[in-house]
Amino acid sequence: GCQTAKREERRVRANDREYNEKFQYASNCITTSKYNIITFLPVNLFEQFQEVANTYFLFLLILQLIPQISSLSWFTTIVPLALVLSITAIKDATDDYFRHKSDNQVNNRQSQVLIRGSIQKEKWMNVRVGDIIKLENNQFVAADLLLLSSSEPHGLCYIETAELDGETNMKVRQSVSVTCELGDPNNLAAFNGEVVCEPPNNKLDRFCGTLYWKDRKYSLTNQNMLLRGCVLRNTEFCYGLVIFAGPDTKLMQNSGRTKFKRTSIDRLMNTLVLWIFCFLVCMGMILAVGNAVWEREVGSLFQSYLPWDPPVDSFIFSAFLSFWSYVIILNTVVPISLYVSVEVIRLGHSYFINWDRQMFCSQCNTAAEARTTTLNEELGQVEYIFSDKTGTLTQNIMTFNKCSINGQTYGEATDPLGPQPKKLDFTPFNSLADPNFCFYDDTLLESVKVGDCCTHEFFRLLSLCHTVMSEEKSEGELVYKAQSPDEGALVTAARNFGFVFRSRTPGTISTTEMGRPVTYALLAILDFNNIRKRMSVIVRNPEGRIRLYCKGADTMLLERLHPSNQDLMNVTSDHLNEYAADGLRTLALAYRDLSEEQWETWSERQRSAERASDCREERLAAVYEEIEQDMMLLGATAIEDKLQEGVPETIAVLSLANIKVWVLTGDKQETAVNIGYSCKMLTDDMAEVFIISGNTVQCVRQELRFVASSTVLSLYGRDKYQGDTLPFGLVINGHSLAHALEADMEAEFVSTACACKAVICCRVTPLQKAQVVELIKKHKRAVTLAVGDGANDISMIKSAHIGVGISGQEGNQAVLASDYSFSQFRFLQRLLLVHGRWSYLRMCRFLCYFFYKNFAFTMVHFWFGFFCGFSAQTVYDQYFITLYNIVYTSLPVLAMGIFDQDVPDDRSLEYPKLYEPGQLNLLFNKKEFFICIAQGIYTSVVLFFVPYAVLSDATQSSGEPLADYQTFAVTTATALVIVVSVQIALDTGYWTIINHVFIWGSLGLYFSIMLALHSPLFRIFPNQFHFVGTAQSTLLQPVVWLTIALATAICVVPVLTFRFLKLDLRPQLSDTVRYTQLVRLKKRKLAGRSAGERGWRGASTMSEGRLGARSGSRRSGYAFAHQEGFGELITSGKNMRLSSLVLGSFGSKHSSSWIDTLRRKKHPHTPTCTSGGLEKGPGML
Amino acid sequence: MNKKEKPEAENRPDNTAFTQQRLPAWQPMLSAGIVIPLFLIIGLIFIGIGVALFVTSRDLQVLEMDYTGMEQNSPCFSCSDPDQKNCKCTLDFNLDKLFEGPVFFYYALTNYFQNQRSYGVSKDDYQLSGDLDNFKDPDSTCSPYRYDSNNNPIVPCGSLANSMFNDTFKLYQLVAGTKKEVPLDGKGIAWWTDYNIKYRNPSVTPLKNAFNGTVKPLFWPRPAYELDPTDPANNGFINQDFLVWMRRAALPNFRKLYRRITEGDYSTGLPEGNYSLEISYNYPVLNFDGRKKVVFTNVSWMGGKNEFLGIAYLVIGSLCIVMSVVMLIVYAKFKFPEED
């Protein structure tokens, strides 16, 4: 059913380059680079000048070249502008160089192309559409190919699509039946089929086309395609016809530019820059009006000594020119270096993230990586975290944990509080065992050894009934490639217990059973799907007996058992309930013996069903259903979905930091809820856990309203602005979510969900994940962070403000789409509470100071305007103006912006409440901005009027007046540099050696550069260096120094007073933590080392913000009595180990661990709803 | 989190204080123990300096006299008429006690915008440093004082030089009815760097030849090479009065050093008595509402009389002391939460 519009179709004829060239299809050469050596400069400059800021400064530069306007030399703008442009250009050039390198590497890969009947080596970039190329095992596919034939029977081949969609499991592709016989190159060279297909697009899972060959039509689907980026696996070789090449391939079509993310500080900064720009225009206007008045009242009379410049004929025109002149000299309120400095600081913070050893995972040898360097401070403002479950909260490592065989459960340690049971050693028993497999219950091994037939049959089933592929690199070194990790875990378990799956062919399965090689004839695979929830195989053993092995969800399987299994079924389903309650993933196993006749008649029907052209799926399912009856139960397996290390602690810390964690998973509701409990999202101090699973709009609405009313009831009387979410949990199903996300219900959903402390959305699609994120972004205006590891998380990672990729099991697609990546969920707390918090703090302090220093610097010109006839005379030397922002004051504030810390990292993890100022946006907002601006303006007033008052009548001790322009300029500039240096010294909270070097160095640099520029040396360019001798003369005057000291004192004393009073009267949490930290350090120093490292947890003043010890579960009694089968659960070793690990690092009571387990038993309350079936509580798998 | 005893994985970031953000650092805090004593110390130092400044400044003498001639009864009233040429007037004054020396003699102008941008740039720095090329072709910044009406280059060009102050003064002490001239020392009244480094005459002798083909600034009575007829070395661009004028003032009301009184009977100062100042009144200021003044003053280590500085120090110092007391009270009342 392909509806390809006739117009937009692609025709490709095999082995006919001439024909194909008519269409001018793209060649297989790819270019991701943007520039080459010649185009770099113009293209890069063109791109850079598309930035508003750069264009603005270019405009200023042009203004400065007009002599009547130019109040400042052109170099005061061009030096910083060139610096900014070249820094960006260098960065772009480096990026592009690496792109060139990778392009070259890819384009020069070798491929084997069939040209005129022989196979020739060609570079990838020379492959054309219509060529037939040969691929060998483990090679990358060079272009999008139509599979023609392969070394495997039926034209099958296996591919891995990790680079394409992130899935590491193998997929099968099959050629069209007519072409699969074209085995050798000669036949292929004669192949002249023509493919008509859709034009290039980015849909990875869809392909529509038709093959015309020998007057017949064959339809083509995605099943016949090998896409660029895949790797050929387990297939010796295959041939393919190039359909799409180079930029037309689906891989390249998918690599669209990612959306550029901006932080809220960025947006605020842009607004503020706009405001400052308006302010600048206003200042210009005021001064221009002043100029008009002055020229009319004074200047026109003063013309005998100072005639108007030739173009100026009236005070109006003079004022007009004066406006532009003032725009030039006041432009430093919007400094060029602001954007570059912000980028540099963020880059520094990104490096600190990359370098952090505490975010390095030694198991996977990966350090954290800041893939986007522009979002760091947003990490300090996150309010919502959306987390994937599989691979993010859990490791996506499945371990065969327990099993129930013939009514006997295995895999439980006897004494949970006793010593760790020893890991079983399988090697003496089985040379093929996987050494990484862990199992602790030796009774199961004993049972295998004594030859218990049920146990044997159990593991035989596991070794036969699966779709795992095996690879045997050398004798006994087996590598399993499983579609799902569950299946891999089961086959590995069978392997270790002596039933080793060795290899498979389409018709056979070879195993080694208890050391004896056995080959089974594989008669049929009754495949798994989501409706059947089970899979079966029918095999004939060497003795000729035919048996069906089936494994699947208990709900499905237990219905299809032979009635004689009733007793066993009861016992087993008890076990299954226990396993499910532990959060384990369960499967039931059964078999059925088939007679030869049964098999014959059934396989006949199966063949006819397979041949059916319509409703094939349904027919096959019906046929499968027929034979999967009257089965004999063997037992059940329980697989543990291991949590990542430290997940519960992380979630606890994050929620103390007032960050709401939502889990969005494609997994089943039961599993999701279980994981929710085990990672402490749902806790026993929650009043209710609501489950919304309605299937209709009305039902979902009704359920939502019920939840809302319950939460509102308990909200009554509480202070809303405390930000305390109530202890409610909400679980919502994918199909209900679809209704809740509709336009008329979304607001209701958001308000309800946000009233709950924990929200879990299960069975959601990747699109829904993104929709939920967008919803919160839209309604809450909060910073969102999405964390995930799989291809299904990409949409959510891209739509959240910050996307975090867990580099885990599922390939690296999510990582590639993410802004930050690391390998453990628990690193998230460090990323947010330490790096994010610091980044935010530093960025805010940086911005405050930056705006302050530029206002203090620039506004002096404004005041001077009133005394110099509004003539746009600068107060300072032009070199000082050029260098002030880029040399004299840039490094100390950069050092503060990169290195500052208010409290050490461990304190910010210990007091998660320290994170709140970021969420509330307290450290830099419009109010703070105005305070900085006001301080800057105050400073400028002091810096102008103090020298004005002192110097106007002052003289040197040799009698020469000090009120000459150059002395005044040097005095003001020196006072300015000293005042802003003192201010940065006050703002810096963490004086490393670098801060010392930069602050003192900048002061030193100021004096040395000034003395150098004012030295007699520079008399060779008298028109550029007017200040010869000024510094030496000025700085020797005591009055000048007294003036500077006075100005500094007047600027700094109020700031000091204000800060002291604020600290004393209204200390912030960070101040308190910092203070106690300092006191403690001092005490420790005094007490010497003998005092030892006393725990820090004693500080009582902070109890509200502290990650406190958990109180005992009040709910245990209820949960304890609620459901049967708990006695065994308490003795469950695995469960115990997990829980104690969870709580151990909280440093609190171990005894609560088993209570945690019980807590999960609680039936969450659900509102009554008639249409949607009431969901059972968690654990009822 | 510690992976002890494991072999260092290759991707593990370096464990340096820098990369792990554990650089040893000083973490100051504005605690009471620092701020209150700091304020006390600053306050005491400022009060000390303030007292010293105030006392020093109080002992300095200043005598300022306006000679613009605005009022009918003022001696220079007749000269203030712009049509008067080569007008001279005499200003008499009386000192009732010794004016301690060395005495400095300034002229002061008000409402005079030497700090106008276009005024400041209206000169040719190459010309002033003796570059003969720029004698022929002055820089365009000098316009409209670049060429005269006959298209001869003006040297020194530009508004700044053109508007040079050209009143001259002679001071007499009236001793027993006779005028005894007080010697005025005009050497070294300009900055050393201006005289020795920044401004240069072209190395042509006689200096006059360098100015061939140029004209004097329009407002000047004499060309640059004849500025000081008494001292041939004090001519051209290194003439002291010219240098003083060229160092433009930062503010519209300014004074410039005219002469020092250091010689002869007056090296210790001007004794009490009657004096007469003879002014050759050339420089018009009334058209833009300016004023001309003469100022006599003496100096100390901190320069001339400057009351503002001393008072400002006293005020800031006292404020610091007051603030430290306020802080102490606040601190005692709302004590910052100590540990535990």
Side-chain angles (χ1 to χ4, degrees), chain A residues 139-436:
Chain A
Q139 278 187 341
F140 274 103
V141 180
D144 288 0
L145 305 178
L146 171 68
L147 180 62
L148 293 175
S149 69
S150 82
S151 57
E152 309 301 305
H154 312 297
L156 279 177
C157 75
Y158 302 94
I159 52 168
E160 196 183 275
T161 57
E163 201 176 313
L164 213 54
D165 57 12
E167 294 173 26
T168 46
N169 55 347
M170 266 189 278
K171 298 196 174 74
V172 182
R173 292 289 184 266
Q174 191 171 19
S175 66
V176 184
S177 52
V178 286
T179 62
C180 72
E181 287 107 34
L182 299 168
D184 67 298
N186 289 330
N187 290 340
L188 285 165
F191 176 68
N192 63 348
E194 184 166 341
V195 174
V196 178
C197 66
E198 62 193 357
N201 59 55
N202 62 0
K203 298 190 182 81
L204 288 175
D205 52 354
R206 211 184 75 118
F207 177 78
C208 267
T210 319
L211 171 67
Y212 294 89
W213 189 39
K214 292 184 178 165
D215 306 323
R216 291 193 60 181
K217 280 167 71 172
Y218 307 91
S219 73
L220 305 175
T221 69
N222 197 40
Q223 271 304 306
N224 311 114
M225 296 296 290
L226 302 179
L227 300 184
R228 182 179 178 134
C230 303
V231 181
L232 196 65
R233 297 280 189 214
N234 292 1
T235 313
E236 202 178 314
F237 63 84
C238 74
Y239 289 96
L241 170 66
V242 178
I243 305 288
F244 300 121
D248 291 343
T249 56
K250 306 226 173 197
L251 175 68
M252 299 308 290
Q253 296 271 320
N254 262 303
S255 60
R257 280 231 176 129
T258 44
K259 207 166 64 182
F260 187 67
K261 289 182 181 177
R262 282 188 171 282
T263 65
S264 51
I265 293 264
D266 264 328
R267 287 187 294 272
L268 178 61
M269 210 161 73
N270 284 341
T271 318
L272 297 181
V273 165
L274 207 70
W275 286 7
I276 294 176
F277 187 77
C278 296
F279 177 79
L280 167 67
V281 172
C282 288
M283 295 289 106
M285 300 278 231
I286 293 171
L287 291 163
V289 169
N291 183 267
V293 172
W294 186 85
E295 289 289 356
R296 210 172 85 101
E297 302 293 323
V298 183
S300 55
L301 305 173
F302 193 61
Q303 284 211 56
S304 53
Y305 292 124
L306 178 65
W308 281 340
D309 275 337
V312 181
D313 47 12
S314 70
F315 62 89
I316 300 288
F317 189 59
S318 163
F320 173 75
L321 293 183
S322 160
F323 171 77
W324 294 110
S325 302
Y326 268 114
V327 167
I328 293 172
I329 65 169
L330 295 178
N331 87 77
T332 43
V333 279
V334 195
I336 304 179
S337 49
L338 173 67
Y339 289 95
V340 169
S341 309
V342 166
E343 293 305 309
V344 167
I345 287 175
R346 286 176 176 159
L347 193 69
H349 296 171
S350 303
Y351 273 106
F352 281 134
I353 292 173
N354 295 349
W355 285 333
D356 194 340
R357 280 162 72 93
Q358 292 183 48
M359 300 211 303
F360 172 80
C361 171
S362 46
Q363 283 101 335
C364 27
N365 193 24
T366 31
E369 190 188 357
R371 301 175 46 84
T372 309
T373 56
T374 54
L375 297 175
N376 295 311
E377 78 273 1
E378 192 112 300
L379 289 173
Q381 300 187 279
V382 172
E383 280 185 69
Y384 287 89
I385 292 179
F386 299 94
S387 173
D388 177 39
K389 185 190 77 66
T390 316
T392 305
L393 297 177
T394 61
Q395 296 180 11
N396 203 21
I397 293 175
M398 303 296 166
T399 50
F400 181 80
N401 198 295
K402 288 178 193 176
C403 63
S404 158
I405 301 173
N406 201 19
Q408 172 71 41
T409 181
Y410 296 98
E412 291 180 347
T414 43
D415 182 9
L417 296 172
Q420 274 286 312
K422 259 181 74 178
K423 185 179 145 183
L424 286 184
D425 184 12
F426 291 93
T427 37
F429 155 73
N430 177 359
S431 60
L432 290 167
D434 182 349
N436 295 324

Side-chain angles (χ1 to χ4, degrees), chain A residues 48 106 174 211 219 231 248 525 575 616 657 690 708 873 953 956 1000 1018 1073 1089 1114:
Chain A
Q48 290 204 43
V106 169
Q174 191 171 19
L211 171 67
S219 73
V231 181
D248 291 343
I525 297 181
H575 288 161
R616 185 167 160 270
F690 302 104
Q873 172 66 52
D953 287 336
Q956 297 188 357
W1000 302 116
F1018 283 97
V1073 172
R1089 300 202 188 284
R1114 277 166 286 111

Side-chain angles (χ1 to χ4, degrees), chain B residues 109-237:
Chain B
L109 295 171
T110 64
N111 204 27
Y112 194 103
F113 287 82
Q114 263 205 321
N115 57 7
Q116 250 271 358
R117 179 169 57 88
S118 39
Y119 184 84
V121 296
S122 185
K123 59 179 175 155
D124 183 339
D125 294 290
Y126 279 102
Q127 205 182 56
L128 296 171
S129 64
D131 190 329
L132 282 172
D133 294 340
N134 290 49
F135 274 53
K136 311 245 157 17
D137 179 23
D139 198 270
S140 61
T141 52
C142 287
S143 93
Y145 299 110
R146 190 180 176 194
Y147 297 103
D148 73 353
S149 48
N150 301 324
N151 218 21
N152 290 317
I154 298 173
V155 178
C157 70
S159 309
L160 183 50
N162 185 59
S163 58
M164 184 176 158
F165 184 77
N166 55 7
D167 285 0
T168 54
F169 307 93
K170 275 188 174 153
L171 182 63
Y172 300 96
Q173 188 185 10
L174 301 174
V175 184
T178 55
K179 281 183 169 179
K180 181 182 173 194
E181 185 168 358
V182 179
L184 300 176
D185 176 15
K187 283 205 178 64
I189 55 172
W191 280 28
W192 185 89
T193 44
D194 287 351
Y195 183 74
N196 290 291
I197 293 159
K198 212 168 156 183
Y199 293 85
R200 290 277 168 91
N201 281 326
S203 41
V204 176
T205 40
L207 185 58
K208 186 175 188 239
N209 292 356
F211 288 80
N212 286 339
T214 67
V215 293
K216 65 177 174 61
L218 305 180
F219 290 11
W220 285 23
R222 291 187 298 277
Y225 49 88
E226 286 172 0
L227 278 175
D228 187 354
T230 60
D231 181 2
N234 190 23
N235 272 313
F237 305 141

Side-chain angles (χ1 to χ4, degrees), chain A residues 934-1112:
Chain A
Q935 198 196 341
I937 292 175
Y938 167 74
T939 306
S940 73
V941 169
V942 173
L943 285 176
F944 178 76
F945 287 99
V946 167
Y948 171 83
V950 176
L951 296 185
S952 53
D953 287 336
T955 65
Q956 297 188 357
S957 36
S958 60
E960 287 141 23
L962 278 171
D964 70 285
Y965 167 71
Q966 296 189 337
T967 304
F968 190 82
V970 169
T971 309
T972 318
T974 309
L976 172 69
V977 169
I978 288 175
V979 167
V980 297
S981 295
V982 171
Q983 184 66 39
I984 191 76
L986 286 178
D987 284 353
T988 303
Y990 192 76
W991 286 70
T992 65
I993 181 76
I994 299 166
N995 297 80
H996 278 288
V997 168
F998 281 177
I999 292 177
W1000 302 116
S1002 289
L1003 275 175
L1005 214 58
Y1006 166 71
F1007 286 108
S1008 23
I1009 290 181
M1010 180 174 64
L1011 286 171
L1013 286 177
H1014 294 184
S1015 75
L1017 206 66
F1018 283 97
R1019 72 163 296 274
I1020 43 174
F1021 303 112
N1023 64 337
Q1024 291 300 333
F1025 298 92
H1026 302 286
F1027 277 64
V1028 169
T1030 312
Q1032 291 85 336
S1033 148
T1034 308
L1035 298 182
L1036 285 175
Q1037 297 306 315
V1039 176
V1040 168
W1041 286 107
L1042 288 173
T1043 311
I1044 291 169
L1046 181 67
T1048 310
I1050 295 177
C1051 288
V1052 172
V1053 162
V1055 177
L1056 268 178
T1057 313
F1058 180 73
R1059 293 204 177 169
F1060 174 83
L1061 291 179
K1062 197 177 159 205
L1063 190 68
D1064 233 41
L1065 297 175
R1066 267 194 189 177
Q1068 302 292 305
L1069 180 61
S1070 59
D1071 298 329
T1072 322
V1073 172
R1074 185 180 165 89
Y1075 186 76
T1076 39
Q1077 164 89 358
L1078 291 177
V1079 170
R1080 198 166 63 105
L1081 275 176
K1082 217 178 272 173
K1083 272 191 185 163
R1084 193 187 285 169
K1085 230 179 251 171
L1086 287 175
R1089 300 202 188 284
S1090 60
E1093 306 252 325
R1094 232 169 28 86
W1096 176 239
R1097 302 191 175 274
S1100 59
T1101 47
M1102 335 250 58
S1103 52
E1104 20 102 47
R1106 223 161 61 76
L1107 170 56
R1110 301 202 31 179
S1111 58

